Amino acid sequence: MFAAMAAPVNNPDHGFCRDCLTFQRSQTRRCERCGSPRLARHPELYRLHLAHIDCDAFYAAIEKRDNPALKDKPLIIGGGKRGVVSTACYIARIQGVRSAMPMFKALEACPEAVVISPNMEKYVRVGREVRAMMQALTPLVEPLSIDEAFLDLAGTERLHGLPPAVVLARFALAVEKEIGITVSAGLSYCKFLAKIASDFRKPRGFSVIGEAEAVGFLAVQPVTMIWGVGKAFNATLERDGIRTIGQLQQMDRGDLMRRYGTMGDRLFRLSRGEDVRRVDPYQDAKSVSAETTFDTDIASLDELVAVLRGLSEKVSARLKKSGIAGRTVVLKLKTQDFKLRTRNRQLNDPTRLADRIFQ
Ligand SMILES: [Mg+2]
């Protein structure tokens, strides 16, 4: 289909249709060929090659695919008496259900929701299928989790006969057709902005953030959009009167570093849209974990210690199975009121021994 429409890819005025994948010569709001409103246009559309792809409501989308009766129902994947929401479908999200929300709260917000407990084996399988399709586009695929990855499509134009932007759109259509779930894609010149872009118009989104607009775009965004600014650090910034990325853009590097150490340097660079991190396909599996949720509160240390021993053995078994070892042991504890506490300890040498992890 595309070959027939010899690509005017050097003309940035020419967008393309994300449904029939034809180039658009005019500036109409709908596709000249198929009438779809899903047109991609951007001055840098054919120059950018760094992408972030994220599946939409991944677990929920898979369950809906496998049971069409759920299609128009609010669906929550999660469970257990004490469980939290793993994924909510978009119908449930409209009613206020969010990931990581305690189940009882989710059901308060959306009492008619269908709840399914996660089938991780199935999700891992589908995640691998999606990843294999990504790896057919470029060897530079860096997974961030089961359902999202960075892709560097630089230099793939000859292989595909298409610019990266169109390859991405074609990929999204192929995933829908072959796997039966949807994805959102972000395209930019760096990882930081590609990831932000993919989150923009979910589901079935396709967003582009170009180099020329990066600083202006970032200026009006909240500091929490910066990778590494979590709740605690955001509170620190807020105490200092800093809320927007634009405020960071006005500060100089020395000042930021004096105030916030190495994080200050990151704030300086990312606030200006400077991110030189490369897509690294070997970054897979950075942690191995095991966890459990109690049906009732446990206050006895002896009981908790026994549970921790079991979890340490599980982690050890998983490390051994993957032939790897870990150096940082992290313990997470969620309290009755769903507050999360974490503690971590660095070992001198990597280990996979249950006893060492437990200690
Ligand atoms: Mg996702």
Side-chain angles (χ1 to χ4, degrees):
M1 185 183 305
F2 229 89
M5 301 278 297
V9 293
N10 291 323
N11 188 336
D13 292 336
H14 292 149
F16 67 89
C17 171
R18 288 163 53 207
D19 281 309
C20 72
L21 300 179
T22 48
F23 284 107
Q24 305 288 303
R25 279 150 223 275
S26 70
Q27 294 293 313
T28 49
R29 308 252 308 255
R30 287 179 172 271
C31 172
E32 299 157 27
R33 185 168 174 277
C34 76
S36 161
R38 301 201 317 145
L39 302 181
R41 279 197 187 98
H42 190 279
E44 297 176 37
L45 191 59
Y46 301 120
R47 284 210 285 122
L48 302 169
H49 53 77
L50 216 143
H52 180 257
I53 294 175
D54 186 21
C55 299
D56 302 322
F58 187 55
Y59 301 172
I62 294 170
E63 297 299 348
K64 287 195 178 201
R65 173 194 75 172
D66 293 347
N67 181 1
L70 296 171
K71 185 171 173 271
D72 300 317
K73 299 211 167 92
L75 175 63
I76 295 172
I77 311 301
K81 206 162 118 204
R82 286 287 179 131
V84 294
V85 175
S86 299
T87 307
C89 77
Y90 287 88
I91 302 171
R93 288 185 198 190
I94 289 168
Q95 307 208 43
V97 180
R98 296 284 173 268
S99 294
M101 191 181 247
M103 211 53 165
F104 75 89
K105 273 197 179 166
L107 289 170
E108 261 170 35
C110 186
E112 70 283 16
V114 178
V115 180
I116 296 182
S117 38
N119 178 347
M120 285 314 296
E121 243 169 78
K122 177 160 75 170
Y123 308 152
V124 167
R125 206 166 55 234
V126 179
R128 285 207 188 108
E129 289 169 19
V130 176
R131 190 167 303 165
M133 289 178 70
M134 291 174 176
Q135 282 159 343
L137 304 181
T138 170
L140 295 179
V141 176
E142 179 183 328
L144 289 183
S145 71
I146 183 173
D147 75 321
E148 57 177 315
F150 286 115
L151 285 80
D152 190 343
L153 294 159
T156 63
E157 191 150 352
R158 196 175 296 171
L159 169 71
H160 298 295
L162 295 169
V166 188
V167 168
L168 277 180
R170 188 178 63 175
F171 170 83
L173 293 176
V175 170
E176 288 181 16
K177 200 165 157 235
E178 287 164 35
I179 299 184
I181 61 168
T182 66
V183 304
S184 291
L187 181 63
S188 191
Y189 63 91
C190 67
K191 280 180 162 180
F192 173 47
L193 290 167
K195 182 150 165 63
I196 289 172
S198 75
D199 207 34
F200 244 28
R201 290 191 190 90
K202 278 178 143 305
R204 298 186 86 213
F206 182 95
S207 302
V208 180
I209 301 176
E211 229 161 328
E213 71 201 307
V215 171
F217 163 82
L218 286 168
V220 295
Q221 307 298 331
V223 287
T224 47
M225 198 176 255
I226 292 180
W227 169 72
V229 179
K231 251 192 199 155
F233 193 57
N234 183 39
T236 304
L237 290 173
E238 219 165 81
R239 219 175 306 124
D240 294 344
I242 301 169
R243 287 197 163 76
T244 69
I245 296 180
Q247 287 173 281
L248 294 171
Q249 290 171 349
Q250 304 301 316
M251 301 171 72
D252 64 60
R253 176 184 253 128
D255 187 21
L256 282 166
M257 286 188 70
R258 263 191 305 281
R259 287 183 192 219
Y260 311 116
T262 53
M263 190 61 199
D265 183 51
R266 182 187 293 173
L267 293 177
F268 178 82
R269 286 180 292 107
L270 293 183
S271 66
R272 287 155 176 82
E274 291 167 19
D275 177 12
V276 294
R277 288 175 298 156
R278 296 191 178 233
V279 173
D280 177 1
Y282 305 107
Q283 282 257 323
D284 213 356
K286 278 162 293 201
S287 70
V288 169
S289 66
E291 61 175 65
T292 188
T293 306
F294 306 118
D295 281 335
T296 51
D297 297 329
I298 296 181
S300 139
L301 189 61
D302 285 348
E303 278 181 62
L304 286 173
V305 162
V307 170
L308 276 179
R309 187 169 284 283
L311 291 174
S312 305
E313 275 159 16
K314 261 192 197 166
V315 169
S316 162
R318 285 173 190 171
L319 287 167
K320 285 173 185 161
K321 200 175 155 205
S322 326
I324 52 176
R327 214 161 86 92
T328 309
V329 181
V330 184
L331 177 63
K332 290 191 194 184
L333 174 73
K334 200 172 278 179
T335 61
Q336 189 184 9
D337 50 351
F338 297 100
K339 289 217 172 78
L340 183 67
R341 314 234 157 108
T342 64
R343 296 288 183 273
N344 61 70
R345 179 71 56 86
Q346 281 244 334
L347 307 175
N348 289 327
D349 304 296
T351 190
R352 60 177 73 150
L353 299 177
D355 263 350
R356 187 93 180 87
I357 296 167
F358 174 72
Q359 279 164 24

